[in-house]
Amino acid sequence: MLGFLKHPVVVTADINLNVVALTAMGLLSRLWQLSYPRAVVFDEVYYGQYISFYMKRIFFLDGSGPPFGHMLLALGGYLGGFDGNFLWNRIGAEYSSNVPVWSLRLLPALTGALSVPMAYQILSELGFSHCAAMGAALLMLIENALITQSRLMLLESVLIFFNLLAVLSYLKFSNSQKQRPFSPSWWFWLTLTGVACSCAVGVKYVGVFTYLLVLAVAGVHAWHLIGDRSLSNVSVLCHLLARAAALLVVPAAMYLLFFYVHLSLVYRSGPHDQIMSSAFQASLEGGLARITQGQPLEVAYGSQVTLKNVFGKPAPCWLHSHQSTYPMIYENGRGSSHQQQVTCYPFKDVNNWWIVKDPGRHQLVVSNPPRPVRHGDVVQLVHGMTTRFLNTHDVAAPLSPHSQEVSCYIDYNISMPPQNLWRLDIVNRDSDAGVWKTILSEVRLVHVNTSAVLKLSGAHLPDWGFRQLEVVGEKLSRGYHESTVWNVEEHRYGKSQEQKEREVELHSPTQMDVHRNLSFLARFLELQWRMLTAKSDGSEHKYSSSPLDWVTLDTSIAYWLHPRTSAQIHLLGNVVIWASASLATVVYALLFFWYLLRRRRKICDLPEDSWLRWVLAGALCAGGWAVNYVPFFLMEKTLFLYHYLPALTFQILLLPVVLQHISDHLCRTQLLRSLFSALLVAWYSCACHVFNTLRPLTYGDKSLSPSELKALRWKDSWDILIRKY
C-alpha cells in the first residue's frame, strides 16, 4: 500500500533559458536605479494624487479610465508603507522621505520588464522561428520610449502588459484546442484570456480595443468550429458556452469587481463629491452624509428644502434666489418682468432654502402629523429668505429667449398676476402614489399654467446676475433630461411660529440611511456614467501632439529636468525601430493583398499552414496596431506621444514576422538570404547605437551640454546615423 514511498518523487520541468535570459535583461533595464530621479516626473503628479486618496480612503473620480490601474499603483504605495501625505502639486518637486519611490514605481517597471519575454512567447506561439521571436523580444528590450514609460509611476506599461497577456493567453488556448480541448490547461488559458482582457480595460478604457480584437479573432475561430462536422452538436455547444463564459461573463464580473473594491476603499468624502448625485454623496463618510444625518425622509407640506439640479453642468448647483431683480431692459433691448431673480448657485448658501407650501393653506410649517407630498400634487415653493413664490410666465428668459423666465413674484400692482403653481412629477417613482423623498427622489416641477418644466439652461448670467447659472421654464421638454430633474438635498421640518429659537423639531423625523438605500449597482452605474461623460480638458498642452506626429516621431515629451545640472528625462522613441516597424506594417499590407489577389486566381504562393499563420499574425499584430492607433483620430482630447505606445508594441511584434517571411519566401537563393542576414545585422546594430545614444535621456543619469542635447533632436538623428554608417 505504501510502495510508492520506496521510490523518490521526481519532478521534471522544461525551462526555456531564452525566456529566463530575456526576463533577466528586461528586469535589469527597467529596475536599474528605479528610485532615480527622486522627484515628481511628468504625469506622476497626476497619478500620485489618486494614490494619496487611496491611502486616506478619500473618494475620487478620474474620467480617464476605470480604477484598476490606480489600485495597482496604490498597492505599491501600500506595500511600501506610504501614508498618503505628500503634496502632488508640481512636476519636479522633490519627494519627501515618507514617499517609497521604489515601491510606487515597481509595478510599472515589472510589467514593462515582463513584456520583453512575453513578446518572445507570442511569436513562438504563432509558429515563427526562434530567431524571429528573439528579434521581437530584443526590440522591445532596447526601445527607449518603452523603457522610459515603464520606469515611472505611469500606466502605459501596465496596459501593454495586459494587452500582450491577453493575446498570449488566447494563442496558448488556441494551440491547446488543437491538442487537448477541455483539458485543465485549455481552461486555464481560456479563462486567463478573459481575465487579461478585463484587466486591460480596467487599467484604461482604450484597453477595450485589444479586447474587441481578441473577441473578433475568437469569433472567427468559433465560426470555423461550428462548421467542423467531426464535432457533435453537443460538443460544439459546449465549446461556444465555454468561450462565452470565459470571454464575456468573466470580464464583466471582473470589471464589476474592480469597482466594488474601489468603492470599498474610497468610502470617505473628498474634493470630487460634488460631481456625484446627492444620494451618492450621502453614502460617503463625512461631507454631505454628516450634514444630512437624521434628516426627515419624506418631504411634507411646510418642509424647508434645498433643491439640487441632477444635471450639474457646467457645475453642480442649487435652486437659488436673492433680493436682486432682472434688469428692466437687457443689453439687446429686450424687456423683462423686472421680477426677483431665480438662478442656480454652485455654492451652499442660505438663499438656497425653499419652503414647500400647500396652495390651499396659509401655513408655512409642518403639521402634526406631517402630510407628505406625493407624485402629482400641486405645490408652491416659497423662497425662505424673501418669502416670495417661485413663478414663471410668458416672458422670455434673459439668455434663452425661446424659454420662459423664472422668477420670484413681486406684486407691482400691474396686469401681471402670479403664476406660482407647480405640479410634482417624481421621475423615479415606484407607483403613481409615490412619496417625495429626501435625496432619493428625482423630481420635475411642471408649471400648471403653461406646462413649462423648471430647467437649468447652464448659461452664465451677466454681471447683473452675479455670473450665476440661468434657470428657465422649458416648454418643449417632453422626455427625461437631467437638466430638468431636481432632488432635495438638505431637508428640515419647519418650526411653528411660537418656537422662535428653533431648537426642537416639531415632529420626530424618520431617520434615513441612504447608504443602505443606494445599492452597489446603483453607485457603480452612476460612477460609470460620470466617468464616461466627464468632460476632458480640451486645452492645448505644451507637449500635446496629433496621431500623425507619432508615426513620424515628430514629437517628444520632456518628462523631467534636474534643478541644478542639465540631466533630464525625455520620452523619445528609437527612430530606427519606429521607422522600421511602420515600414513593416506597409509591407505586410501590400503582401497580404497581393497574396489574396493571387489566391483568388487559384495561385497559392504559400502553403496552407504558412498562409494561415501569416493571416493570424497579421490579424493580431497589424490588427493590434490599427485598433490601438486609428481610434485616436476620432477622440476629442489632449493627446500625447505615450498614447501610441500600445499600438507601437504590436508593430514591433509584426516587424520580425515580416522579416522572417521575406527571408523564407522572397529570398529564393542562398546568396540573397546571406545578403539579407547581413543587412539585418547592420540594421540591428544601428538600432542598438540609437538606443545607446539616447540612453542619457532615457535614464536621466548623465548631464548633457546644450550641443549634446540638440544633437539628439529627431530631425538631426538621421544626419548622425547617415554620417556614422
Side-chain angles (χ1 to χ4, degrees):
M1 183 175 178
L2 299 178
F4 70 91
L5 294 178
K6 297 179 180 179
H7 303 282
V9 177
V10 179
V11 177
T12 60
D14 293 330
I15 299 177
N16 190 327
L17 294 181
N18 293 321
V19 174
V20 174
L22 289 170
T23 303
M25 289 189 290
L27 291 171
L28 179 63
S29 65
R30 270 66 174 178
L31 296 180
W32 184 72
Q33 291 190 347
L34 189 61
S35 297
Y36 178 86
R38 194 174 174 82
V40 179
V41 180
F42 201 61
D43 272 355
E44 286 188 342
V45 72
Y46 175 75
Y47 292 110
Q49 298 177 38
Y50 300 136
I51 294 173
S52 289
F53 285 147
Y54 273 120
M55 297 300 105
K56 297 180 178 181
R57 303 295 189 265
I58 295 175
F59 172 79
F60 67 89
L61 183 146
D62 178 19
S64 68
F68 181 58
H70 301 80
M71 288 192 291
L72 291 177
L73 295 179
L75 177 62
Y78 175 77
L79 296 176
F82 183 43
D83 56 9
N85 291 318
F86 182 77
L87 187 61
W88 309 86
N89 58 352
R90 65 180 179 87
I91 297 173
E94 293 288 332
Y95 283 122
S96 55
S97 58
N98 69 307
V99 181
V101 181
W102 193 86
S103 295
L104 289 170
R105 293 174 179 167
L106 177 60
L107 188 68
L110 287 177
T111 54
L114 293 177
S115 297
V116 175
M118 207 175 298
Y120 173 89
Q121 291 182 292
I122 288 174
L123 267 291
S124 297
E125 292 295 327
L126 281 170
F128 289 91
S129 68
H130 158 75
C131 291
M134 283 295 292
L138 292 175
L139 290 175
M140 293 278 291
L141 180 69
I142 64 171
E143 211 302 297
N144 297 79
L146 293 179
I147 296 175
T148 301
Q149 200 71 12
S150 62
R151 285 174 46 79
L152 302 171
M153 195 197 312
L154 307 172
L155 289 179
E156 273 63 38
S157 64
V158 183
L159 173 63
I160 290 170
F161 170 80
F162 285 117
N163 282 345
L164 296 181
L165 181 60
V167 172
L168 175 62
S169 300
Y170 182 77
L171 289 173
K172 285 185 172 291
F173 155 75
S174 181
N175 291 333
S176 297
Q177 166 71 26
K178 301 171 185 176
Q179 301 167 4
R180 294 177 298 160
F182 298 106
S183 64
S185 64
W186 185 92
W187 279 107
F188 173 79
W189 291 116
L190 177 60
T191 306
L192 185 58
T193 303
V195 171
C197 288
S198 63
C199 289
V201 179
V203 171
K204 284 198 170 187
Y205 280 129
V206 292
V208 74
F209 301 132
T210 302
Y211 177 35
L212 293 176
L213 175 68
V214 172
L215 279 182
V217 174
V220 172
H221 286 172
W223 180 253
H224 289 304
L225 196 70
I226 294 174
D228 187 352
R229 299 299 298 273
S230 65
L231 298 175
S232 66
N233 293 338
V234 174
S235 179
V236 170
L237 180 62
C238 291
H239 275 286
L240 296 179
L241 290 177
R243 286 161 171 77
L247 300 181
L248 296 176
V249 177
V250 169
M254 290 285 295
Y255 191 74
L256 285 172
L257 179 62
F258 298 151
F259 280 88
Y260 183 83
V261 175
H262 171 71
L263 291 172
S264 299
L265 291 174
V266 289
Y267 55 83
R268 292 175 179 161
S269 174
H272 296 177
D273 288 12
Q274 289 194 356
I275 301 174
M276 311 305 293
S277 69
S278 300
F280 195 104
Q281 292 181 52
S283 70
L284 300 172
E285 181 181 299
L288 184 61
R290 185 181 67 253
I291 297 173
T292 59
Q293 185 177 7
Q295 286 188 155
L297 176 61
E298 297 181 348
V299 178
Y301 290 107
S303 287
Q304 300 172 8
V305 299
T306 64
L307 290 166
K308 183 182 179 183
N309 187 266
V310 173
F311 188 52
K313 291 183 179 181
C317 61
W318 293 263
L319 190 66
H320 176 94
S321 187
H322 39 240
Q323 291 283 358
S324 301
T325 59
Y326 292 109
M328 294 193 68
I329 303 295
Y330 296 124
E331 291 82 350
N332 59 7
R334 283 195 301 113
S336 78
S337 66
H338 198 47
Q339 298 281 319
Q340 181 173 303
Q341 296 175 17
V342 171
T343 66
C344 207
Y345 190 51
F347 301 98
K348 293 186 182 294
D349 187 88
V350 68
N351 280 312
N352 297 347
W353 285 92
W354 301 80
I355 301 171
V356 181
K357 180 181 176 299
D358 184 350
R361 301 191 182 188
H362 293 292
Q363 66 184 41
L364 297 178
V365 295
V366 177
S367 61
N368 190 8
R371 292 187 303 122
V373 183
R374 300 180 182 275
H375 169 73
D377 287 355
V378 175
V379 301
Q380 293 173 310
L381 291 178
V382 183
H383 187 240
M385 295 301 292
T386 63
T387 66
R388 292 193 171 119
F389 291 77
L390 184 70
N391 185 84
T392 188
H393 38 221
D394 194 15
V395 175
L399 301 181
S400 306
H402 297 293
S403 301
Q404 292 181 179
E405 174 193 87
V406 176
S407 63
C408 279
Y409 182 75
I410 302 175
D411 186 4
Y412 288 122
N413 197 23
I414 57 176
S415 58
M416 185 178 283
Q419 299 183 41
N420 50 35
L421 298 178
W422 301 85
R423 186 177 69 255
L424 186 73
D425 178 14
I426 303 178
V427 177
N428 60 341
R429 63 187 182 276
D430 294 327
S431 68
D432 287 342
V435 176
W436 190 4
K437 294 180 181 179
T438 305
I439 292 181
L440 301 177
S441 293
E442 296 181 350
V443 304
R444 298 196 314 167
L445 293 167
V446 183
H447 192 237
V448 172
N449 297 79
T450 64
S451 297
V453 180
L454 190 70
K455 176 184 177 181
L456 169 66
S457 76
H460 285 275
L461 294 169
D463 291 340
W464 54 257
F466 309 102
R467 308 298 300 173
Q468 296 174 17
L469 299 174
E470 181 191 43
V471 174
V472 300
E474 180 60 77
K475 284 187 177 181
L476 302 178
S477 182
R478 291 290 179 265
Y480 174 87
H481 192 277
E482 288 179 314
S483 61
T484 64
V485 180
W486 307 77
N487 70 271
V488 171
E489 187 170 90
E490 296 182 61
H491 178 207
R492 62 192 180 209
Y493 282 163
K495 312 297 189 300
S496 64
Q497 295 299 319
E498 293 76 22
Q499 294 172 313
K500 300 291 185 181
E501 299 178 6
R502 297 187 174 185
E503 293 177 351
V504 181
E505 291 287 349
L506 176 65
H507 176 79
S508 179
T510 303
Q511 298 295 309
M512 60 179 295
D513 186 351
V514 177
H515 183 77
R516 277 186 291 181
N517 286 278
L518 197 65
S519 65
F520 159 70
L521 187 59
R523 290 191 296 156
F524 163 76
L525 291 174
E526 179 179 347
L527 181 57
Q528 186 67 52
W529 175 250
R530 297 291 182 184
M531 291 169 62
L532 289 173
T533 58
K535 187 176 181 181
S536 61
D537 184 11
S539 60
E540 286 295 321
H541 189 279
K542 180 180 179 181
Y543 295 111
S544 63
S545 54
S546 71
L548 289 176
D549 296 329
W550 304 340
V551 177
T552 59
L553 257 180
D554 196 24
T555 181
S556 63
I557 305 176
Y559 270 6
W560 172 79
L561 175 65
H562 196 284
R564 292 176 297 277
T565 70
S566 58
Q568 48 198 287
I569 294 176
H570 287 241
L571 184 68
L572 287 171
N574 189 315
V575 67
V576 173
I577 296 176
W578 287 53
S580 302
S582 297
L583 180 61
T585 306
V586 174
V587 171
Y588 178 87
L590 293 175
L591 287 175
F592 175 80
F593 285 112
W594 172 253
Y595 290 145
L596 202 61
L597 288 172
R598 286 176 62 81
R599 288 175 72 86
R600 185 65 177 168
R601 299 288 296 173
K602 306 302 181 183
I603 303 172
C604 297
D605 299 289
L606 301 177
E608 191 62 21
D609 59 336
S610 298
W611 167 250
L612 293 176
R613 184 167 61 246
W614 175 252
V615 172
L616 180 58
L620 291 174
C621 300
W625 168 80
V627 299
N628 283 283
Y629 175 59
V630 175
F632 284 104
F633 285 95
L634 307 176
M635 295 184 186
E636 296 181 359
K637 58 181 289 187
T638 305
L639 299 175
F640 298 92
L641 178 62
Y642 57 73
H643 286 120
Y644 186 63
L645 296 182
L648 173 72
T649 304
F650 284 100
Q651 263 195 328
I652 291 176
L653 295 178
L654 183 65
L655 179 53
V657 170
V658 173
L659 293 177
Q660 180 179 334
H661 181 82
I662 293 174
S663 176
D664 292 348
H665 298 283
L666 301 183
C667 296
R668 301 184 182 277
T669 66
Q670 186 61 40
L671 177 61
L672 286 177
R673 291 193 185 96
S674 300
L675 289 174
F676 188 71
S677 300
L679 287 174
L680 287 182
V681 172
W683 166 78
Y684 191 77
S685 300
C686 186
C688 291
H689 170 71
V690 173
F691 162 74
N692 189 60
T693 302
L694 296 180
R695 185 187 162 283
L697 292 180
T698 300
Y699 292 92
D701 57 349
K702 178 183 176 183
S703 298
L704 296 171
S705 65
S707 59
E708 289 176 322
L709 182 61
K710 183 180 179 181
L712 295 177
R713 290 172 51 200
W714 282 125
K715 292 181 179 179
D716 301 326
S717 296
W718 285 112
D719 295 337
I720 296 173
L721 293 172
I722 291 171
R723 286 196 300 268
K724 187 171 184 66
Y725 293 99

